[in-house]
Every structure is written in C-alpha cells, then in structure tokens.
Amino acid sequence: MAMNPEVMDGAGLIVNEYAGIEEEEHVVIVTDWVTREVAEYLAAAAQSEGAEVTMTTMKPLDHHGNEPPSSIENALYSADVVFGVVKNPMV
C-alpha cells in the first residue's frame, strides 16, 4: 500500500504529539477489517519513532461497548500505549 503523505502526517501527529510515543515503547494497535488501513498508518508512524508495534485485526464488533476477544485483551495489558482503531468502540 502506498502511503498518503497527508494521512501519514496526521498519524505522526497522533503518535508524537498526542500519545508521546518514545523509542522502545510497546504499542498495541487493535483494529478490524473495516478500519485496518487507518491502523496501518499509526503502526508505520509508531515504528518510525522506534516503538515495538503489535497490530492485531479482529472481526468488527457487533455493538458499541463490546469487549474484545480475550486473546486481544491480554495483549493490551502488556502495552505502554494502546490504539483502538475499530468501527465500534470497545470497553
């Protein structure tokens, strides 16, 4: 996928200014099939800062506020920074 420079700039702003991600931090990005492209921009921006990035894709949640699958939930606990880039927000 060719990265759109304007979208990449926005992802960089989120990673650097809002999340303050630093080198060697563990970043977990949870996404679904609907929003995966956006998550890929955040992953690229975090990696460019030297972060260790784990991105996991799940099927879109049925409703706003559902909990993610337990396998994903466990990964969240080990992260320094978590991005939930999903169609329906998780709990």
Side-chain angles (χ1 to χ4, degrees):
M1 169 179 89
M3 295 288 206
N4 178 314
E6 290 179 8
V7 178
M8 194 62 206
D9 287 346
L13 181 68
I14 292 168
V15 164
N16 294 309
E17 299 299 320
Y18 300 137
I21 292 173
E22 297 178 1
E23 190 171 346
E24 297 185 18
E25 282 191 305
H26 181 206
V27 176
V28 172
I29 301 172
V30 180
T31 189
D32 58 33
W33 306 318
V34 177
T35 58
R36 184 171 173 87
E37 186 175 349
V38 174
E40 289 174 352
Y41 280 94
L42 288 173
Q47 286 175 333
S48 74
E49 293 302 316
E52 176 190 334
V53 177
T54 300
M55 189 164 74
T56 183
T57 304
M58 63 183 184
K59 71 176 186 169
L61 298 172
D62 294 331
H63 300 90
H64 172 83
N66 282 14
E67 292 191 19
S70 60
S71 59
I72 292 174
E73 189 175 344
N74 292 335
L76 302 179
Y77 291 118
S78 68
D80 297 307
V81 178
V82 174
F83 291 110
V85 186
V86 293
K87 180 180 176 190
N88 290 315
M90 302 173 285
V91 171

Coordinates of all heavy atoms in Angstrom, one line a residue:
M1 N 0.8 -1.2 0.0 CA 0.0 0.0 0.0 C 0.9 1.2 0.0 O 1.8 1.4 0.8 CB -0.9 0.0 1.2 CG -1.6 1.3 1.5 SD -2.7 1.3 2.9 CE -1.5 1.8 4.2
A2 N 0.7 2.1 -0.9 CA 1.4 3.4 -1.0 C 0.8 4.3 0.1 O -0.4 4.5 0.2 CB 1.3 4.0 -2.4
M3 N 1.6 4.9 0.9 CA 1.2 5.8 2.0 C 0.9 7.2 1.5 O 1.7 7.8 0.8 CB 2.2 5.8 3.1 CG 2.4 4.5 3.8 SD 1.0 4.1 4.8 CE 1.8 3.1 6.1
N4 N -0.3 7.7 1.8 CA -0.7 9.1 1.5 C 0.1 10.0 2.5 O 0.0 9.8 3.7 CB -2.2 9.2 1.7 CG -2.7 10.6 1.4 OD1 -2.1 11.6 1.9 ND2 -3.7 10.7 0.7
P5 N 0.9 10.9 2.0 CA 1.7 11.8 2.9 C 0.9 12.6 3.8 O 1.3 12.8 5.0 CB 2.5 12.7 1.9 CG 2.4 12.0 0.6 CD 1.2 11.2 0.6
E6 N -0.2 13.1 3.4 CA -1.1 13.9 4.3 C -1.6 13.0 5.5 O -1.6 13.5 6.6 CB -2.2 14.6 3.6 CG -1.7 15.7 2.6 CD -2.8 16.3 1.9 OE1 -4.0 16.1 2.2 OE2 -2.5 17.1 1.0
V7 N -2.0 11.8 5.2 CA -2.6 10.9 6.2 C -1.4 10.5 7.1 O -1.6 10.4 8.4 CB -3.3 9.7 5.6 CG1 -3.8 8.8 6.7 CG2 -4.5 10.2 4.7
M8 N -0.2 10.3 6.5 CA 0.9 9.9 7.3 C 1.3 11.0 8.3 O 1.7 10.8 9.4 CB 2.1 9.5 6.4 CG 3.2 8.8 7.1 SD 2.7 7.3 7.8 CE 3.9 7.1 9.1
D9 N 1.2 12.3 7.8 CA 1.5 13.4 8.7 C 0.5 13.5 9.9 O 0.9 13.7 11.0 CB 1.4 14.8 7.9 CG 2.5 15.0 7.0 OD1 3.6 14.3 7.1 OD2 2.4 15.9 6.1
G10 N -0.8 13.1 9.6 CA -1.8 13.1 10.7 C -1.5 12.0 11.7 O -1.6 12.2 12.9
A11 N -1.1 10.8 11.2 CA -0.7 9.7 12.1 C 0.5 10.1 12.9 O 0.6 9.8 14.1 CB -0.4 8.5 11.2
G12 N 1.5 10.8 12.3 CA 2.7 11.2 13.0 C 2.3 12.2 14.2 O 2.9 12.1 15.3
L13 N 1.4 13.0 13.9 CA 0.9 14.0 14.9 C 0.3 13.2 16.1 O 0.5 13.5 17.3 CB -0.1 14.9 14.3 CG -0.7 16.0 15.2 CD1 0.4 17.0 15.6 CD2 -1.9 16.7 14.6
I14 N -0.6 12.2 15.8 CA -1.2 11.4 16.9 C -0.1 10.7 17.7 O -0.1 10.7 18.9 CB -2.2 10.4 16.3 CG1 -3.4 11.2 15.7 CG2 -2.6 9.4 17.3 CD1 -4.3 10.4 14.8
V15 N 0.8 10.1 17.0 CA 1.9 9.3 17.7 C 2.8 10.2 18.5 O 3.1 9.9 19.6 CB 2.7 8.5 16.6 CG1 4.0 8.0 17.2 CG2 1.8 7.3 16.1
N16 N 3.2 11.3 17.9 CA 4.2 12.2 18.6 C 3.6 13.1 19.6 O 4.1 13.2 20.7 CB 5.0 12.9 17.5 CG 5.9 12.0 16.7 OD1 6.6 11.2 17.2 ND2 5.7 12.2 15.4
E17 N 2.6 13.9 19.2 CA 2.1 14.9 20.0 C 1.1 14.5 21.0 O 1.1 14.9 22.2 CB 1.5 16.0 19.1 CG 2.5 16.7 18.2 CD 3.6 17.4 18.9 OE1 3.4 18.0 19.9 OE2 4.8 17.3 18.4
Y18 N 0.2 13.6 20.6 CA -0.9 13.2 21.5 C -0.6 12.0 22.3 O -0.9 12.0 23.5 CB -2.2 12.9 20.7 CG -2.7 14.1 19.9 CD1 -3.1 13.9 18.6 CD2 -2.7 15.4 20.4 CE1 -3.6 15.0 17.8 CE2 -3.1 16.5 19.6 CZ -3.6 16.3 18.4 OH -4.0 17.4 17.6
A19 N 0.1 11.0 21.8 CA 0.4 9.8 22.5 C 1.8 9.9 23.1 O 2.2 9.2 24.1 CB 0.3 8.6 21.7
G20 N 2.7 10.8 22.5 CA 4.1 10.9 23.0 C 4.9 9.6 23.0 O 5.6 9.3 24.0
I21 N 4.7 8.8 22.0 CA 5.4 7.5 21.9 C 6.9 7.7 21.8 O 7.3 8.6 21.0 CB 4.8 6.7 20.7 CG1 3.4 6.3 21.0 CG2 5.7 5.5 20.5 CD1 2.7 5.7 19.9
E22 N 7.6 7.0 22.6 CA 9.1 7.0 22.6 C 9.7 5.7 22.1 O 9.0 4.7 22.1 CB 9.6 7.4 24.0 CG 9.1 8.7 24.5 CD 9.5 9.0 25.9 OE1 10.2 8.2 26.5 OE2 9.1 10.1 26.4
E23 N 11.0 5.8 21.8 CA 11.7 4.6 21.3 C 11.6 3.5 22.3 O 11.7 3.7 23.5 CB 13.2 5.0 21.1 CG 14.0 4.0 20.4 CD 15.4 4.4 20.0 OE1 15.6 5.7 20.1 OE2 16.2 3.6 19.7
E24 N 11.4 2.3 21.8 CA 11.3 1.0 22.5 C 10.1 0.9 23.3 O 9.9 -0.1 24.1 CB 12.6 0.8 23.4 CG 13.8 0.7 22.5 CD 15.1 0.4 23.4 OE1 14.9 -0.1 24.5 OE2 16.2 0.6 22.8
E25 N 9.1 1.8 23.3 CA 7.8 1.5 23.9 C 7.1 0.4 23.1 O 7.2 0.3 21.9 CB 7.0 2.8 24.0 CG 7.4 3.7 25.1 CD 6.4 4.9 25.3 OE1 6.1 5.6 24.4 OE2 6.0 5.0 26.5
H26 N 6.2 -0.3 23.9 CA 5.4 -1.3 23.2 C 4.1 -0.7 22.9 O 3.3 -0.4 23.8 CB 5.3 -2.5 24.2 CG 4.5 -3.7 23.6 ND1 3.9 -4.6 24.3 CD2 4.3 -4.0 22.3 CE1 3.3 -5.5 23.5 NE2 3.5 -5.1 22.3
V27 N 3.7 -0.7 21.7 CA 2.5 -0.1 21.2 C 1.6 -1.3 20.6 O 2.1 -2.0 19.8 CB 2.7 0.9 20.1 CG1 1.4 1.4 19.5 CG2 3.6 2.1 20.6
V28 N 0.4 -1.4 21.1 CA -0.6 -2.3 20.6 C -1.6 -1.6 19.9 O -2.2 -0.7 20.4 CB -1.2 -3.2 21.7 CG1 -2.3 -4.1 21.2 CG2 -0.1 -4.1 22.4
I29 N -1.9 -2.0 18.6 CA -3.0 -1.4 17.8 C -4.0 -2.5 17.6 O -3.7 -3.5 17.0 CB -2.4 -0.8 16.5 CG1 -1.4 0.2 16.8 CG2 -3.6 -0.3 15.7 CD1 -0.6 0.8 15.6
V30 N -5.2 -2.3 18.0 CA -6.3 -3.2 17.8 C -7.2 -2.6 16.7 O -7.6 -1.4 16.7 CB -7.2 -3.4 19.0 CG1 -8.3 -4.4 18.7 CG2 -6.3 -3.9 20.2
T31 N -7.4 -3.4 15.6 CA -8.2 -2.9 14.5 C -9.1 -4.0 14.0 O -9.1 -5.1 14.5 CB -7.2 -2.4 13.4 OG1 -8.0 -1.7 12.4 CG2 -6.5 -3.5 12.8
D32 N -10.0 -3.6 13.1 CA -10.9 -4.6 12.5 C -10.7 -4.4 11.0 O -10.0 -3.6 10.5 CB -12.3 -4.4 13.0 CG -12.9 -3.0 12.7 OD1 -12.6 -2.4 11.7 OD2 -13.7 -2.6 13.5
W33 N -11.4 -5.3 10.2 CA -11.3 -5.3 8.8 C -11.7 -3.9 8.2 O -11.3 -3.6 7.1 CB -12.1 -6.4 8.2 CG -11.7 -7.7 8.8 CD1 -10.5 -8.2 9.1 CD2 -12.6 -8.8 9.1 NE1 -10.6 -9.5 9.6 CE2 -11.9 -9.8 9.7 CE3 -14.0 -8.9 9.1 CZ2 -12.5 -11.0 10.1 CZ3 -14.6 -10.1 9.6 CH2 -13.8 -11.1 10.1
V34 N -12.6 -3.3 8.8 CA -13.2 -2.0 8.3 C -12.2 -0.9 8.4 O -12.1 0.0 7.5 CB -14.5 -1.6 9.0 CG1 -15.1 -0.3 8.5 CG2 -15.5 -2.7 8.8
T35 N -11.4 -0.8 9.5 CA -10.5 0.3 9.8 C -9.0 0.0 9.7 O -8.2 0.8 10.0 CB -10.8 0.8 11.2 OG1 -10.6 -0.3 12.1 CG2 -12.3 1.3 11.3
R36 N -8.7 -1.1 9.1 CA -7.3 -1.6 9.1 C -6.4 -0.6 8.4 O -5.3 -0.4 8.8 CB -7.2 -2.9 8.4 CG -5.8 -3.5 8.4 CD -5.7 -4.9 8.0 NE -4.3 -5.3 7.9 CZ -3.6 -5.8 8.9 NH1 -4.1 -6.0 10.0 NH2 -2.3 -6.1 8.7
E37 N -6.8 0.0 7.3 CA -5.9 1.0 6.6 C -5.5 2.1 7.5 O -4.3 2.5 7.5 CB -6.6 1.5 5.4 CG -5.7 2.4 4.5 CD -6.3 2.8 3.2 OE1 -7.4 2.3 2.8 OE2 -5.7 3.7 2.6
V38 N -6.4 2.7 8.3 CA -6.0 3.7 9.2 C -5.0 3.2 10.3 O -4.0 3.9 10.6 CB -7.3 4.3 9.9 CG1 -6.9 5.3 11.0 CG2 -8.2 4.9 8.9
A39 N -5.2 2.0 10.8 CA -4.3 1.4 11.8 C -2.9 1.2 11.2 O -1.9 1.4 11.9 CB -4.9 0.1 12.2
E40 N -2.8 0.9 9.9 CA -1.5 0.8 9.3 C -0.7 2.1 9.3 O 0.5 2.0 9.4 CB -1.7 0.2 7.9 CG -2.1 -1.3 7.9 CD -2.4 -1.8 6.5 OE1 -2.5 -1.1 5.5 OE2 -2.7 -3.0 6.4
Y41 N -1.4 3.2 9.1 CA -0.7 4.5 9.2 C -0.2 4.7 10.6 O 1.0 5.2 10.8 CB -1.6 5.6 8.8 CG -1.8 5.8 7.3 CD1 -2.8 5.2 6.6 CD2 -0.9 6.5 6.6 CE1 -3.0 5.3 5.3 CE2 -1.0 6.7 5.2 CZ -2.0 6.1 4.6 OH -2.2 6.3 3.2
L42 N -1.0 4.4 11.6 CA -0.5 4.6 13.0 C 0.7 3.7 13.3 O 1.6 4.1 14.0 CB -1.6 4.4 14.0 CG -2.7 5.4 14.1 CD1 -3.8 5.0 14.9 CD2 -2.1 6.7 14.6
A43 N 0.6 2.4 12.8 CA 1.7 1.5 13.0 C 3.0 2.0 12.4 O 4.0 1.9 13.0 CB 1.3 0.1 12.5
A44 N 2.9 2.5 11.2 CA 4.1 3.0 10.5 C 4.7 4.2 11.2 O 5.9 4.3 11.4 CB 3.7 3.4 9.0
A45 N 3.8 5.1 11.7 CA 4.3 6.3 12.4 C 5.0 5.9 13.7 O 6.0 6.4 14.1 CB 3.1 7.2 12.7
A46 N 4.4 4.9 14.5 CA 5.0 4.5 15.7 C 6.3 3.7 15.5 O 7.3 3.9 16.2 CB 4.0 3.5 16.4
Q47 N 6.4 2.9 14.4 CA 7.6 2.2 14.1 C 8.7 3.2 13.7 O 9.9 3.0 14.1 CB 7.4 1.2 13.0 CG 6.6 0.0 13.4 CD 6.3 -0.9 12.3 OE1 6.2 -0.5 11.1 NE2 6.2 -2.2 12.6
S48 N 8.3 4.3 13.1 CA 9.3 5.3 12.7 C 9.9 6.0 13.9 O 11.0 6.6 13.8 CB 8.7 6.3 11.7 OG 7.9 7.2 12.4
E49 N 9.2 6.0 15.1 CA 9.7 6.5 16.3 C 10.5 5.5 17.1 O 11.0 5.8 18.2 CB 8.6 7.0 17.2 CG 7.9 8.2 16.6 CD 8.8 9.4 16.3 OE1 9.7 9.7 17.2 OE2 8.8 10.0 15.3
G50 N 10.7 4.3 16.6 CA 11.4 3.2 17.2 C 10.6 2.4 18.2 O 11.2 1.6 19.0
A51 N 9.3 2.5 18.1 CA 8.5 1.7 19.0 C 8.4 0.3 18.5 O 8.5 0.0 17.3 CB 7.1 2.3 19.1
E52 N 8.1 -0.6 19.4 CA 7.8 -2.0 19.1 C 6.3 -2.1 18.9 O 5.5 -1.8 19.8 CB 8.2 -3.0 20.2 CG 7.9 -4.4 20.0 CD 8.1 -5.3 21.2 OE1 9.0 -4.9 22.0 OE2 7.4 -6.3 21.3
V53 N 5.8 -2.4 17.7 CA 4.4 -2.3 17.4 C 3.8 -3.7 17.2 O 4.4 -4.5 16.4 CB 4.1 -1.5 16.2 CG1 2.7 -1.5 15.8 CG2 4.6 -0.1 16.4
T54 N 2.7 -4.0 17.9 CA 1.9 -5.2 17.6 C 0.6 -4.8 17.1 O -0.1 -4.0 17.8 CB 1.8 -6.0 18.9 OG1 3.1 -6.4 19.4 CG2 0.9 -7.3 18.7
M55 N 0.2 -5.2 16.0 CA -1.1 -4.9 15.4 C -1.9 -6.2 15.3 O -1.4 -7.2 14.7 CB -1.0 -4.2 14.1 CG -2.3 -3.6 13.6 SD -2.2 -2.4 12.3 CE -1.8 -3.5 10.9
T56 N -3.1 -6.1 15.8 CA -4.0 -7.3 15.7 C -5.3 -6.9 15.1 O -5.8 -5.9 15.4 CB -4.2 -8.0 17.1 OG1 -5.0 -9.1 17.0 CG2 -4.8 -7.0 18.1
T57 N -5.8 -7.8 14.2 CA -7.0 -7.5 13.5 C -8.1 -8.5 13.9 O -7.8 -9.7 14.0 CB -6.8 -7.6 12.0 OG1 -5.7 -6.7 11.6 CG2 -8.0 -7.2 11.2
M58 N -9.3 -8.0 14.2 CA -10.4 -8.8 14.6 C -11.6 -8.5 13.7 O -11.6 -7.5 13.0 CB -10.7 -8.6 16.1 CG -11.2 -7.2 16.4 SD -11.5 -7.1 18.2 CE -12.1 -5.4 18.2
K59 N -12.6 -9.3 13.8 CA -13.8 -9.0 13.0 C -14.5 -7.8 13.7 O -14.3 -7.6 15.0 CB -14.8 -10.2 13.0 CG -15.4 -10.6 14.3 CD -16.4 -11.7 14.1 CE -17.2 -11.9 15.4 NZ -18.3 -12.7 15.3
P60 N -15.2 -7.0 13.0 CA -15.8 -5.8 13.7 C -16.8 -6.3 14.8 O -17.5 -7.3 14.6 CB -16.6 -5.2 12.5 CG -15.9 -5.6 11.3 CD -15.4 -7.0 11.6
L61 N -16.7 -5.6 15.9 CA -17.6 -5.9 17.0 C -19.1 -5.6 16.6 O -19.3 -4.7 15.8 CB -17.3 -5.0 18.2 CG -15.9 -5.3 18.8 CD1 -15.5 -4.3 19.9 CD2 -15.8 -6.7 19.3
D62 N -20.0 -6.3 17.1 CA -21.4 -6.2 16.8 C -22.0 -4.9 17.3 O -22.9 -4.3 16.6 CB -22.2 -7.3 17.4 CG -21.9 -8.6 16.7 OD1 -21.5 -8.6 15.5 OD2 -22.0 -9.7 17.4
H63 N -21.6 -4.4 18.5 CA -22.2 -3.2 19.1 C -21.1 -2.4 19.8 O -20.1 -2.9 20.1 CB -23.2 -3.7 20.2 CG -24.3 -4.5 19.7 ND1 -24.3 -5.8 19.6 CD2 -25.5 -4.1 19.2 CE1 -25.4 -6.3 19.1 NE2 -26.2 -5.3 18.8
H64 N -21.4 -1.1 19.9 CA -20.6 -0.2 20.7 C -20.5 -0.7 22.1 O -21.5 -1.1 22.7 CB -21.3 1.2 20.7 CG -20.6 2.2 21.6 ND1 -19.5 2.9 21.2 CD2 -20.9 2.5 22.8 CE1 -19.1 3.7 22.1 NE2 -20.0 3.5 23.2
G65 N -19.3 -0.8 22.6 CA -19.1 -1.1 24.0 C -18.8 -2.6 24.3 O -18.7 -3.0 25.4
N66 N -18.8 -3.4 23.2 CA -18.5 -4.9 23.4 C -17.0 -5.0 23.8 O -16.2 -4.2 23.5 CB -18.7 -5.6 22.1 CG -20.1 -6.0 21.8 OD1 -21.0 -5.4 22.4 ND2 -20.3 -6.8 20.9
E67 N -16.7 -6.1 24.6 CA -15.4 -6.3 24.9 C -14.7 -7.1 23.8 O -15.3 -7.8 23.1 CB -15.3 -7.2 26.2 CG -15.8 -6.5 27.4 CD -15.6 -7.2 28.7 OE1 -14.7 -8.1 28.7 OE2 -16.2 -6.9 29.7
P68 N -13.4 -6.8 23.6 CA -12.6 -7.5 22.6 C -12.4 -9.0 23.0 O -12.6 -9.3 24.2 CB -11.3 -6.8 22.6 CG -11.1 -6.3 23.9 CD -12.5 -5.9 24.4
P69 N -12.1 -9.8 22.1 CA -11.8 -11.2 22.4 C -10.7 -11.3 23.5 O -9.8 -10.4 23.5 CB -11.3 -11.8 21.1 CG -11.9 -10.9 20.0 CD -11.9 -9.6 20.6
S70 N -10.7 -12.3 24.3 CA -9.7 -12.4 25.4 C -8.3 -12.5 24.9 O -7.4 -11.9 25.6 CB -10.0 -13.7 26.2 OG -9.9 -14.8 25.5
S71 N -8.0 -13.0 23.7 CA -6.6 -13.0 23.2 C -6.1 -11.6 23.0 O -4.9 -11.3 23.2 CB -6.5 -13.9 22.0 OG -7.4 -13.3 21.0
I72 N -7.0 -10.8 22.5 CA -6.6 -9.4 22.3 C -6.5 -8.6 23.6 O -5.6 -7.8 23.9 CB -7.6 -8.7 21.3 CG1 -7.4 -9.3 19.9 CG2 -7.4 -7.2 21.3 CD1 -8.4 -8.9 18.9
E73 N -7.5 -8.9 24.5 CA -7.5 -8.2 25.8 C -6.2 -8.4 26.6 O -5.6 -7.5 27.2 CB -8.7 -8.7 26.6 CG -8.9 -8.0 27.9 CD -10.2 -8.4 28.6 OE1 -11.0 -9.1 28.0 OE2 -10.3 -8.1 29.8
N74 N -5.7 -9.7 26.5 CA -4.4 -10.0 27.2 C -3.3 -9.2 26.6 O -2.4 -8.7 27.4 CB -4.1 -11.5 27.1 CG -5.1 -12.3 27.9 OD1 -5.7 -11.8 28.8 ND2 -5.3 -13.6 27.5
A75 N -3.2 -8.9 25.3 CA -2.1 -8.2 24.7 C -2.2 -6.7 25.2 O -1.1 -6.1 25.3 CB -2.2 -8.2 23.2
L76 N -3.4 -6.2 25.5 CA -3.5 -4.8 25.9 C -2.8 -4.5 27.2 O -2.2 -3.5 27.4 CB -5.0 -4.4 26.0 CG -5.8 -4.6 24.8 CD1 -7.3 -4.2 25.0 CD2 -5.3 -3.8 23.6
Y77 N -2.8 -5.5 28.1 CA -2.2 -5.3 29.4 C -0.7 -5.2 29.4 O -0.1 -4.6 30.3 CB -2.6 -6.5 30.4 CG -4.0 -6.5 30.7 CD1 -4.8 -7.5 30.4 CD2 -4.6 -5.4 31.4 CE1 -6.2 -7.5 30.7 CE2 -5.9 -5.4 31.7 CZ -6.7 -6.5 31.4 OH -8.1 -6.5 31.7
S78 N 0.0 -5.7 28.3 CA 1.4 -5.6 28.3 C 1.9 -4.4 27.5 O 3.1 -4.1 27.4 CB 2.0 -6.8 27.5 OG 1.6 -6.8 26.2
A79 N 1.0 -3.5 27.0 CA 1.4 -2.4 26.2 C 1.6 -1.1 27.0 O 1.0 -0.9 28.1 CB 0.2 -2.1 25.2
D80 N 2.5 -0.3 26.5 CA 2.7 1.0 27.0 C 1.7 2.0 26.5 O 1.2 2.9 27.2 CB 4.1 1.5 26.7 CG 5.2 0.7 27.3 OD1 5.2 0.5 28.5 OD2 6.1 0.2 26.5
V81 N 1.3 1.8 25.2 CA 0.3 2.6 24.5 C -0.6 1.7 23.7 O -0.1 0.8 23.1 CB 1.0 3.6 23.6 CG1 0.0 4.5 22.8 CG2 2.0 4.5 24.3
V82 N -1.9 2.0 23.8 CA -2.9 1.2 23.0 C -3.7 2.1 22.1 O -4.1 3.2 22.6 CB -3.8 0.5 24.0 CG1 -4.9 -0.2 23.2 CG2 -3.1 -0.5 24.8
F83 N -3.8 1.8 20.9 CA -4.7 2.4 20.0 C -5.8 1.5 19.6 O -5.6 0.3 19.2 CB -4.1 2.9 18.7 CG -3.1 4.0 18.8 CD1 -1.7 3.8 18.7 CD2 -3.5 5.3 19.1 CE1 -0.8 4.8 18.8 CE2 -2.6 6.3 19.3 CZ -1.2 6.1 19.1
G84 N -7.1 1.8 19.8 CA -8.2 1.1 19.4 C -8.8 1.7 18.1 O -9.5 2.7 18.2
V85 N -8.4 1.2 17.0 CA -8.9 1.7 15.7 C -9.9 0.8 15.1 O -9.6 -0.1 14.3 CB -7.7 1.9 14.7 CG1 -8.1 2.6 13.4 CG2 -6.6 2.7 15.4
V86 N -11.1 0.9 15.6 CA -12.2 -0.1 15.3 C -13.5 0.7 14.9 O -13.7 1.9 15.3 CB -12.5 -1.0 16.5 CG1 -11.3 -2.0 16.7 CG2 -12.8 -0.3 17.7
K87 N -14.3 0.0 14.2 CA -15.6 0.7 13.8 C -16.5 0.9 15.0 O -17.0 2.0 15.1 CB -16.3 -0.3 12.8 CG -17.7 0.3 12.3 CD -18.3 -0.7 11.4 CE -19.7 -0.1 11.0 NZ -20.5 -1.0 10.3
N88 N -16.7 0.0 15.9 CA -17.5 0.1 17.1 C -16.6 0.1 18.3 O -15.9 -0.9 18.5 CB -18.6 -1.0 17.2 CG -19.6 -0.8 16.2 OD1 -20.1 0.3 16.0 ND2 -20.0 -1.9 15.5
P89 N -16.5 1.1 19.1 CA -15.6 1.2 20.2 C -15.7 0.0 21.2 O -16.8 -0.4 21.4 CB -15.9 2.5 20.9 CG -16.5 3.3 19.8 CD -17.3 2.4 18.9
M90 N -14.6 -0.4 21.8 CA -14.6 -1.4 22.8 C -14.7 -0.8 24.1 O -14.6 0.3 24.4 CB -13.2 -2.2 22.7 CG -12.9 -2.7 21.3 SD -11.2 -3.4 21.3 CE -10.3 -1.9 21.2
V91 N -14.9 -1.7 25.1 CA -15.0 -1.3 26.5 C -13.5 -1.3 27.0 O -12.7 -2.1 26.7 CB -15.8 -2.4 27.4 CG1 -15.6 -2.1 28.8 CG2 -17.2 -2.3 27.0

